[in-house]
């Protein structure tokens, strides 16, 4: 039985099941923040909880698909994992509503402020460089926070039914898209800062531009002589 269940968990079909369960958990948490706590999210005497019977049902389905006859004997499980107290539900909903609104307007407001500051600056290339460096600093802080959060999640899983490696894997699945986007934006911000510095009025940037121009002229002259 151990070998069969372990093989089912390592299979590709269980990977698809795991992805579906993550999506269901996300929908459940969203439902907790936006509705009255019915459906997948339930309100119990112990607090706010999520129905996890889908996990057992998914494993049972996977085993049955592999031809395990006794999989049909696995009973349905009606178990609730408590994720928070009912008293905190109002705060969760308020925070979620504020987060949804801020998540849309804050980036727009930040971009407008950056562009306005660059447009009004006397030295626009210097302003663009500083703005790009500020954005890069914020994105770098976000990546550091994501790494610290991964370590915190792994540490919090110690002593629970979920191993630190499994907790880290779940965390990676949840934040991988945000981390990837932040990394790409960080690279773009650094490239913009470098380009703005090169196009600026500093003595070093001007010297570098002159050296590049002289190198280009020598290269062109060498090409013409070789022809």
């Amino acid at each position: 039985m151990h070998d069969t269940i372990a093989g089912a968990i390592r299979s590709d079909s269980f990977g698809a099941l795991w992805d579906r369960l993550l999506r269901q958990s996300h929908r459940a948490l969203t439902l907790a923040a936006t509705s009255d706590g019915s459906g997948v999210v339930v309100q119990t005497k112990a607090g706010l909880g999520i129905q996890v019977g889908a996990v057992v049902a998914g494993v049972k389905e996977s085993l049955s698909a592999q031809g395990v006859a006794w999989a049909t004997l696995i009973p349905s499980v009606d178990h609730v994992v408590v994720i928070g107290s009912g008293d905190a539900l109002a705060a969760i909903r308020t925070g979620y509503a504020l987060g949804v609104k801020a998540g849309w307007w804050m980036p727009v407001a930040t971009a407008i402020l950056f562009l306005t500051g660059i447009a009004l600056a006397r030295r626009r290339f210097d302003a663009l460089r500083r703005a790009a460096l500020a954005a890069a600093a914020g994105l770098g802080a976000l990546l550091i926070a994501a790494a610290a959060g991964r370590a915190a999640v792994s540490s919090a899983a110690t002593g629970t039914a979920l191993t630190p490696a499994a907790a880290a894997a779940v965390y990676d699945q949840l934040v991988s898209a945000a981390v990837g986007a932040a990394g790409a934006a960080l690279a773009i911000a650094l490239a913009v800062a470098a380009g703005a510095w090169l196009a600026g009025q500093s003595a070093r940037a001007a010297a570098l531009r002159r050296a590049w121009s002289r190198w280009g002229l020598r290269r062109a002259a060498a090409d013409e002589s070789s022809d």
Side-chain angles (χ1 to χ4, degrees):
M1 182 181 297
H2 176 275
D3 293 342
T4 302
I5 293 177
I9 292 176
R10 296 190 187 100
S11 65
D12 294 337
S13 59
F14 190 83
L17 168 65
W18 182 251
D19 181 74
R20 187 169 72 249
L21 291 176
L22 284 178
R23 295 180 185 277
Q24 289 177 351
S25 299
H26 180 267
R27 285 194 295 269
L29 292 174
T30 303
L31 181 62
T34 57
S35 70
D36 58 358
S38 60
V40 178
V41 177
V42 295
Q43 184 72 39
T44 66
K45 294 181 180 179
L48 189 69
I50 297 178
Q51 292 277 7
V52 294
V55 177
V56 176
V59 172
K60 180 178 178 180
E61 179 182 351
S62 177
L63 292 175
S64 299
Q66 297 183 27
V68 180
W70 51 263
T72 57
L73 301 177
I74 298 177
S76 300
V77 175
D78 185 13
H79 183 65
V80 176
V81 174
V82 176
I83 61 173
S85 63
D87 297 335
L89 185 56
I92 292 174
R93 290 172 180 164
T94 302
Y96 181 85
L98 292 175
V100 169
K101 293 180 180 180
W104 167 252
W105 286 109
M106 286 185 66
V108 175
T110 302
I112 291 174
L113 290 175
F114 273 143
L115 294 176
T116 302
I118 294 170
L120 296 178
R122 292 183 178 179
R123 297 183 175 181
R124 293 181 179 177
F125 285 115
D126 289 342
L128 177 60
R129 175 176 57 84
R130 294 190 180 97
L133 290 176
L139 292 166
L142 177 61
L143 293 175
I144 293 173
R150 189 179 192 277
V153 168
S154 299
S155 177
T158 303
T160 65
L162 190 65
T163 64
V170 174
Y171 182 84
D172 291 341
Q173 287 287 334
L174 295 175
V175 303
S176 60
V179 169
L186 176 60
I188 294 174
L190 293 176
V192 170
W197 175 83
L198 184 60
Q201 300 178 1
S202 66
R204 292 183 178 180
L208 185 58
R209 290 197 301 269
R210 287 194 298 269
W212 179 266
S213 178
R214 287 195 297 268
W215 180 84
L217 291 174
R218 288 196 299 267
R219 184 67 180 271
D223 292 341
E224 289 179 359
S225 61
S226 63
D227 293 340

